[in-house]
Amino acid sequence: MNTIREMNQKHPTAGLISVGLTILTSVLGIYNWLALRSLILSLLAFFEVKPSAWQGIDNITFLLLGIIWLANVYYSQWYLKKKVIAKQVLKSIARLLSIQMWILFISDLLSNLLIRSSLVPSNIQVLLIEGSAAILLTLLAVMSARHQAVQKIKIEKEG
């Protein structure tokens, strides 16, 4: 069984690439963390929860979202390192970023719809950018997965 040290000695550049990409996903993850916190506060206001309960709910959810973010950072680094070694990094990073962009888009959209009866133009622009990025990253992930599947079929037919 390979230890982490042996794996790092076999593929040192894979570790560096995966750490760099993990930084990108973790920054977006922090933005998601704050957007989900804003959504939770919007839900509290929408459902008219007593303001005295807000602080406790906010603290608990902030802590839970932080734990989820940290687990996501560790998972992303492991997953991306594995995919860099397998030369499937484009599909993998596009998949991770598309999931995070969808979370960001949906949480911002719901938060804006719950608090405001109508969206202001600046919020619409941000939502359009987030939604477009989510769609484009999803398409990139699907197209790269399809491309890899076609390449694999070609290799099997030739071999």
Side-chain angles (χ1 to χ4, degrees):
M1 185 168 157
N2 287 344
T3 64
I4 293 174
R5 186 173 185 208
E6 290 172 0
M7 189 185 310
N8 286 338
Q9 289 174 347
K10 288 181 183 178
H11 305 283
T13 56
L16 292 174
I17 293 170
S18 67
V19 167
L21 293 173
T22 300
I23 290 171
L24 178 67
T25 60
S26 66
V27 169
L28 186 56
I30 289 173
Y31 199 59
N32 276 333
W33 182 0
L34 297 175
L36 286 170
R37 181 177 183 222
S38 175
L39 174 62
I40 290 168
L41 293 175
S42 299
L43 287 169
L44 292 174
F46 182 77
F47 289 114
E48 299 175 354
V49 175
K50 286 192 256 181
S52 59
W54 282 35
Q55 185 66 38
I57 295 169
D58 184 38
N59 288 341
I60 296 278
T61 55
F62 188 77
L63 180 66
L64 289 175
L65 290 172
I67 292 169
I68 292 169
W69 172 80
L70 185 60
N72 180 52
V73 170
Y74 281 119
Y75 172 77
S76 295
Q77 203 281 325
W78 169 81
Y79 177 73
L80 288 170
K81 185 171 185 176
K82 187 174 85 167
K83 293 302 182 176
V84 168
I85 292 169
K87 300 191 184 334
Q88 298 173 345
V89 71
L90 180 63
K91 175 182 78 168
S92 305
I93 191 67
R95 182 180 295 160
L96 287 175
L97 290 176
S98 69
I99 291 168
Q100 287 188 326
M101 284 306 297
W102 280 111
I103 291 169
L104 182 63
F105 172 70
I106 291 169
S107 63
D108 279 350
L109 179 66
L110 290 176
S111 182
N112 281 307
L113 290 175
L114 289 174
I115 293 298
R116 298 168 188 88
S117 59
S118 63
L119 295 173
V120 294
S122 63
N123 288 343
I124 291 174
Q125 290 173 347
V126 170
L127 288 170
L128 284 174
I129 292 169
E130 290 171 356
S132 299
I135 291 169
L136 290 174
L137 286 167
T138 302
L139 288 174
L140 179 63
V142 169
M143 288 182 352
S144 61
R146 186 171 184 262
H147 176 71
Q148 285 182 343
V150 168
Q151 292 294 356
K152 186 176 179 181
I153 291 170
K154 284 182 181 178
I155 290 172
E156 289 175 356
K157 283 183 179 180
E158 291 175 359

